[in-house]
Every structure is written in C-alpha cells, then in structure tokens.
Amino acid sequence: MKENKLDTITNLFEGSEIRSIWDKEKEDYYFSVVDVISALTDSKEPRKYWSVLKARLKKEGSELTTKCSQLKMVASDGKIRLRDALDTEGIFRLIESVPSPKAEPFKMWLASLGKERIDEVFDPEKAIDRAIDYYRKKGYSDSWIEVRLKGILNRKKLTDVWKENGITENYEYGLLTNEIYKAWSGMKANEYKDFKGIRKESLRDNMTDIEVILTDLGEVTARDIAKQERPQGLKDNLKVAKRGGKVSKIARESYEKETGRSAITSENTIGGRYVDTNKQLNNKN
C-alpha cells in the first residue's frame, strides 16, 4: 500500500469509534484491531485482550496474525503511532475468534461501510451528506454544522499554504496549530481538551458556535498572511500563526465585552467529563 493512497477515517459502530484507513487502490478498509475488539467485547483492556488472543492464534497456527498490517493511526494522546490493522476480510475472520453478541450486527455494519465508501468515490457529495447526518444524530444544529463544514475547508486551505511554505512534518503542523490556539484562547490544543474534559474526541466537535468561529478566524487570518508574505520554514510560519491567533483574540475580547460572557466554555458534547485519576490522587496526597 502506498501512503498517498490511504485516508484515515474514524467510523462509528453503535457509538464506538473504530479507527480506519481507506485504501483507495484496493478499495477496502483497514481497521484498528484493538478498536474492533473494544466495540465487540466492551473490554476495559482491549489491548491486553488482543495480546492474549494474538498469542493463542499464533499457537494454533492461524494465519490471521501474519495478515496484520502496522499502520499509522492517531492514538488517544493525539500522537501518530503504529497500530495493528486488518482489512475487511481479516476483520470478518477476527470476529469468529471473539465470542460476542454484537458479532452479527458488526458484520452487517462492515458490509455497509464498503459500499458507502465506493459510492463516495464516484459521488463525493454522499460523503458530505453522511457527515451532516452524523452531526445531526449527535444533536448539532444546522447552523453549527454549516460553520463546522466551512471550517474543515478553510483548515485544508491553510495546511496547503503551510505545505507550500516548507512545512512537511506532522509535528510542525501541530506546533503551528497550537500557536494559533494559544494566541487567542491561552491554551494549546491538548490543554483545551483537558479544559473540556475530553480525550481523543475531536476538539472542534466539542466547541460552541463562537469557539468554532474564533478558531476559524485565526486560521483564515494566518492563511491569508502566509499566502501574502510567503514565510519559509517553521520559525517564520510560527510568527505568522501567532499573528493570526491574535486577530481572534481581539474578536474574542470584543465578543466578551459586548455579551458579558466568556467565549470559552468547558461544555462538551459527550455529556460528561473524563476523570484524571492520577491527578486526583496527587491532589489528595
């Protein structure tokens, strides 16, 4: 598989996130094995479950483990790491080794995914329709969805400009994004997530209308400055990213002065907050 043939996607099965990669050349998915096991078993330690199962399958002489690919996927801490992944056929075989009442529904879900993606190759509008349906089911308003989709397009335009200006590494994109966030919100992306009490969930999907607008404003400003001045390399692009974020900071201050309320909120869409038990223990001590 060639890297430029792969699109990383997060699909949902009954509310469980399944990290997936779509191979355009093969027209097939590769799924995170740990995520599939987590969805099928509700195990609190799916990684350990897979480790034990993999050892058993190897002992039995199963070819399934040899068909595993190591693919780059976003981990819970936001970093890119190699993960065991299987194509659709491999996942079907994996299901046979995992006793679960969800096996049949999961098989039907797998079968529908392939058709959806192939249809989207020929008609990209279907992908947009699917995204809108997803957000509506999650309870987002149409006005929020409209802003969010425009933001996705603006973000793509920004990363294209960064690439033209010599930005090539994933960590560089992360640093530039953090510079914009820090300039207007005072927090890096991971700190913003902690503030909202979320982990691997999308930060922007957990933002209010005004938070999304301010984020987009900072990125659009940074993009337009970078497009005009053409800074080269990380150092100069960081300065431009900060300037873009400062425009959002001015807008934020104006909003808060006029409304008398904070533009930043700890509210999220998961209906709760993850608890950092280590932090709690440290506080008690």
Side-chain angles (χ1 to χ4, degrees):
M1 290 182 295
K2 298 177 182 177
E3 286 297 322
N4 62 0
K5 294 289 184 181
L6 304 179
D7 293 331
T8 304
I9 313 135
T10 298
N11 289 300
L12 285 177
F13 168 72
E14 296 185 355
S16 297
E17 291 190 348
I18 312 292
R19 286 169 295 179
S20 322
I21 288 180
W22 174 254
D23 184 350
K24 294 178 183 177
E25 197 171 66
K26 187 180 175 184
E27 292 189 343
D28 196 8
Y29 277 104
Y30 284 81
F31 299 92
S32 163
V33 175
V34 169
D35 288 357
V36 172
I37 287 175
S38 178
L40 289 174
T41 66
D42 295 324
S43 171
K44 293 181 180 178
E45 296 183 282
R47 200 174 304 283
K48 185 175 181 180
Y49 189 112
W50 170 232
S51 178
V52 173
L53 176 59
K54 184 159 56 171
R56 193 194 82 199
L57 291 172
K58 282 183 179 178
K59 190 175 181 180
E60 294 173 353
S62 171
E63 296 181 357
L64 188 61
T65 55
T66 62
K67 292 182 178 295
C68 267
S69 299
Q70 287 272 301
L71 299 179
K72 293 179 181 179
M73 294 184 178
V74 181
S76 57
D77 59 4
K79 295 181 180 179
I80 306 296
R81 290 194 175 88
L82 290 172
R83 291 289 179 256
D84 281 348
L86 286 167
D87 61 13
T88 305
E89 181 185 353
I91 292 297
F92 272 113
R93 293 175 62 183
L94 174 69
I95 293 171
E96 301 301 322
S97 303
V98 180
S100 169
K102 298 180 182 180
E104 289 308 314
F106 198 92
K107 287 178 182 178
M108 293 177 67
W109 177 77
L110 279 178
S112 68
L113 274 184
K115 182 180 183 301
E116 284 178 358
R117 285 295 294 179
I118 292 169
D119 287 346
E120 287 166 10
V121 170
F122 294 100
D123 186 0
E125 187 177 336
K126 292 182 183 294
I128 299 171
D129 289 342
R130 188 155 65 91
I132 292 172
D133 288 341
Y134 166 79
Y135 282 127
R136 281 177 173 169
K137 287 176 182 177
K138 298 277 282 186
Y140 294 98
S141 67
D142 284 354
S143 60
W144 185 96
I145 296 170
E146 183 178 0
V147 173
R148 181 71 176 95
L149 293 180
K150 286 180 180 178
I152 292 171
L153 178 59
N154 287 331
R155 171 71 183 179
K156 181 66 172 65
K157 290 179 180 178
L158 172 62
T159 55
D160 286 345
V161 172
W162 280 342
K163 189 174 182 180
E164 292 169 4
N165 292 352
I167 302 303
T168 58
E169 302 295 333
N170 285 332
Y171 80 90
E172 293 178 312
Y173 290 103
L175 290 173
L176 289 166
T177 301
N178 276 333
E179 200 64 31
I180 295 172
Y181 274 124
K182 281 193 298 181
W184 76 264
S185 73
M187 296 178 283
K188 294 185 291 185
N190 64 327
E191 293 170 337
Y192 211 149
K193 280 191 168 188
D194 286 342
F195 175 67
K196 284 186 171 289
I198 59 176
R199 288 179 180 168
K200 68 178 180 178
E201 292 84 2
S202 166
L203 176 56
R204 297 193 198 206
D205 283 358
N206 283 274
M207 286 182 169
T208 60
D209 290 358
I210 188 63
E211 287 175 306
V212 172
I213 289 169
L214 290 171
T215 301
D216 290 348
L217 176 60
E219 293 194 339
V220 169
T221 305
R223 180 198 72 199
D224 289 348
I225 296 173
K227 201 170 183 179
Q228 180 69 27
E229 299 183 2
R230 290 299 177 187
Q232 293 298 308
L234 180 60
K235 185 178 179 180
D236 288 341
N237 275 285
L238 281 170
K239 293 177 182 177
V240 170
K242 188 174 184 178
R243 288 163 61 190
K246 283 184 176 179
V247 171
S248 286
K249 183 181 180 181
I250 294 169
R252 173 193 172 184
E253 291 170 346
S254 179
Y255 170 86
E256 292 178 339
K257 180 180 178 181
E258 295 297 328
T259 63
R261 57 185 292 183
S262 175
I264 297 176
T265 174
S266 60
E267 293 176 3
N268 60 52
T269 60
I270 63 175
R273 299 175 65 82
Y274 289 112
V275 177
D276 188 334
T277 52
N278 290 328
K279 187 181 292 185
Q280 283 189 335
L281 288 172
N282 289 334
N283 290 338
K284 286 181 180 179
N285 292 332

